[in-house]
Amino acid sequence: MAAALHTLAFVYANVYKDSVALMRVAQRLLALPGLRDASLQMGNAANKDILREAGLLSAQLDAAGPSDIMVAVRGETSSACEAAVAECQAQLAGAAENVAAGQGASEAVAPRSWSMALAAQPGANIAQISVPGPYAAAEALKALKQGLNVFMFSDNVALAQEVALKQEASSRGLLVMGPDCGTAIIGGVPLGFANQVRRGNIGIVAASGTGLQEVTTQIHRMGGGVSHAFGTGGRDLYADVGGISMLQGITLLAADKSTRVIVLVSKPPAADIASKVLTALKATGKPAAVLFLGNVQSANTSVSSKLRFVHNLVDAAAAAVQLAGRAQAAVARRYALPRKPKFAPSQKYLCALYSGGTFAAEAQVICASLGLQPLSNVPLHAAQTLPDARNASRGHSVLDLGDDAFTVGRPHPMIDQAARITRLLQEAADPAVRVILLDVVIGWGAHADPAAELAPAIVKAKASAARAGRHLAVLGFVCGTEQDPQGLAQQEAQLRAAGMVLAGNSANAAWLAAQWVK
């Protein structure tokens, strides 16, 4: 029986830090020996709910106010927790003392309002917002009233607030990207998690973060280029929201002379919203590729000869590049199937451990097309819900480890891979697992060298299975380009050397993994 873990908590009062700063402190704490979890959250109700669900909310933390930082650490020993608390207190206190002493003067005199920021940078027209959800809508509204478009990275924003913000923005001729918008590229400038891609004549509007990244990077690899890429946030095509941001994005791309081709990416919209979106797309007069992921009916929908419907992310990129004038877009629809290894009789199942939610959705669609029905913590159909996803898989499983349930107390797996590595080793020890499927996302905002961390874990996982008489297949792909800071070729080389089979893109990886468990 595994030893019980120890937990310690404390409140750091009257100090505000944004989520990125708190993530960085948590990352440093997680590097300490013997520490399993470290959560730093502002003391608002939404964050308390998250800690409560994770079993980390003590009476002390529950009493914290919105301007207090709640800290909870969990480790193998009480001394490991005590060391983490001491280090955390030192880091938080040191930052406050530096500002009070005048060190880091730029922080001490940082603008305290949008009007002050605009006075310092009068040409700006986009506000980036990454504050806790309960405060994000108010800040977005202030930015809109200053004439700023909004890129809202924040999540946990109420749906009614999203509707109100987007209606306000539309009335002012402004655009709200988000909430929970992870990616955008505006005039070649990446925002949030985004990749360095070639400028070109293809514009994209996507209610998807990693989906947008995969399409832009595949366009780049096929020789095409991107004019602009607008993320809308995943709920934009809900009936309540009405596709406001996607419709605005289509209008902006229609008016943009540098954009010749338009790409839309989302899960299936509400039926009336889909009709509005397709009508607006047709009205642009520009050729377009449309991916409503999981909507198999869309491929048979005839709206215009200029609209091409596709089924997966790489095909969306290929269609766009071809429509833009490169008739022979270099895309392998299906990689040749490598010789299947000899698996043990007990090995039957696929386990996908994704950091991107769109990749998890696409994998479910591809598996279903091949007769598999994987369970998931982010199922496309309720009947495929994986119970207790945080602790155990069951049968064929597709997990989004970037979902809120997995990021309590730690950064997103695109930034910090510790939780995914732990889960990789756990699944590798299961005698029923045949194939583990991974995405590796590089680019701005992502881990500086994800392959350097994943490769030793892959070697360890395969070796542990081999000692038990099993061959464990590890498959996947890298989402990125050679122009990204991490370097695509360098990342792929490290992963191949560790024994990972790389399929070139998300769709091919899912297809190959499904073939190996059929």
Side-chain angles (χ1 to χ4, degrees), residues 111-472:
R112 310 289 293 186
S113 68
W114 295 115
S115 58
M116 289 176 64
L118 281 169
Q121 195 170 354
N125 65 0
I126 298 177
Q128 294 193 65
I129 296 175
S130 181
V131 299
Y135 310 105
E139 291 304 319
L141 182 59
K142 293 174 188 176
L144 292 172
K145 290 181 176 179
Q146 292 288 337
L148 296 170
N149 299 284
V150 170
F151 176 85
M152 191 184 297
F153 194 78
S154 305
D155 57 7
N156 291 311
V157 175
L159 183 62
Q161 291 179 321
E162 177 175 350
V163 173
L165 286 172
K166 290 186 172 180
Q167 289 176 345
E168 178 71 20
S170 180
S171 71
R172 294 173 178 268
L174 298 171
L175 176 67
V176 170
M177 293 171 278
D180 201 14
C181 183
T183 305
I185 303 173
I186 311 298
V189 178
L191 303 176
F193 294 120
N195 299 90
Q196 196 68 46
V197 299
R198 184 184 300 106
R199 294 295 305 279
N201 57 10
I202 300 172
I204 306 160
V205 191
S208 160
T210 48
L212 181 56
Q213 289 187 262
E214 177 73 349
V215 172
T216 57
T217 56
Q218 291 297 329
I219 286 172
H220 175 94
R221 294 196 212 179
M222 295 174 199
V226 175
S227 55
H228 307 282
F230 301 115
T232 69
R235 301 183 302 196
D236 188 69
L237 277 75
Y238 284 15
D240 290 344
V241 184
I244 294 174
S245 293
M246 182 163 282
L247 291 169
Q248 286 180 290
I250 292 170
T251 299
L252 289 169
L253 294 177
D256 179 45
K257 293 182 179 179
S258 67
T259 300
R260 286 185 52 197
V261 175
I262 299 174
V263 182
L264 302 186
V265 180
S266 79
K267 293 179 183 177
D272 59 332
I273 305 305
S275 177
K276 290 180 182 179
V277 166
L278 295 177
T279 298
L281 194 58
K282 178 182 176 182
T284 68
K286 297 185 177 183
V290 180
L291 173 60
F292 291 157
L293 192 59
N295 187 349
V296 296
Q297 303 300 322
S298 63
N300 300 319
T301 304
S302 178
V303 177
S304 166
S305 60
K306 290 188 175 182
L307 302 192
R308 187 177 301 182
F309 291 88
V310 297
H311 289 297
N312 57 54
L313 296 165
V314 70
D315 285 350
V321 171
Q322 290 165 356
L323 290 168
R326 296 180 66 90
Q328 302 298 322
V331 54
R333 306 287 177 160
R334 297 285 182 263
Y335 274 28
L337 192 66
R339 185 169 62 89
K340 185 184 295 186
K342 185 176 181 180
F343 296 106
S346 66
Q347 292 179 279
K348 299 178 180 179
Y349 298 121
L350 160 68
C351 180
L353 303 175
Y354 284 119
S355 61
T358 306
F359 297 142
E362 182 185 52
Q364 291 176 67
V365 172
I366 291 172
C367 285
S369 73
L370 295 172
L372 304 178
Q373 298 296 331
L375 302 179
S376 178
N377 65 314
V378 287
L380 293 179
H381 307 288
Q384 263 71 56
T385 300
L386 175 64
D388 195 26
R390 288 187 62 190
N391 297 311
S393 299
R394 180 187 302 174
H396 299 303
S397 302
V398 174
L399 298 178
D400 171 17
L401 298 182
D403 186 64
D404 288 348
F406 288 99
T407 55
V408 175
R410 63 175 68 248
H412 191 279
M414 284 166 57
I415 301 172
D416 173 19
Q417 300 182 99
R420 183 154 73 151
I421 287 172
T422 298
R423 190 61 178 257
L424 167 64
L425 297 175
Q426 175 186 330
E427 299 294 344
D430 184 346
V433 172
R434 175 181 291 192
V435 176
I436 292 179
L437 177 58
L438 302 171
D439 62 340
V440 181
V441 183
I442 61 176
W444 300 107
H447 189 285
D449 191 1
E453 284 192 345
L454 270 178
I458 291 169
V459 170
K460 185 176 180 180
K462 291 174 71 69
S464 67
R467 286 194 296 271
R470 302 189 306 275
H471 176 88
L472 178 70

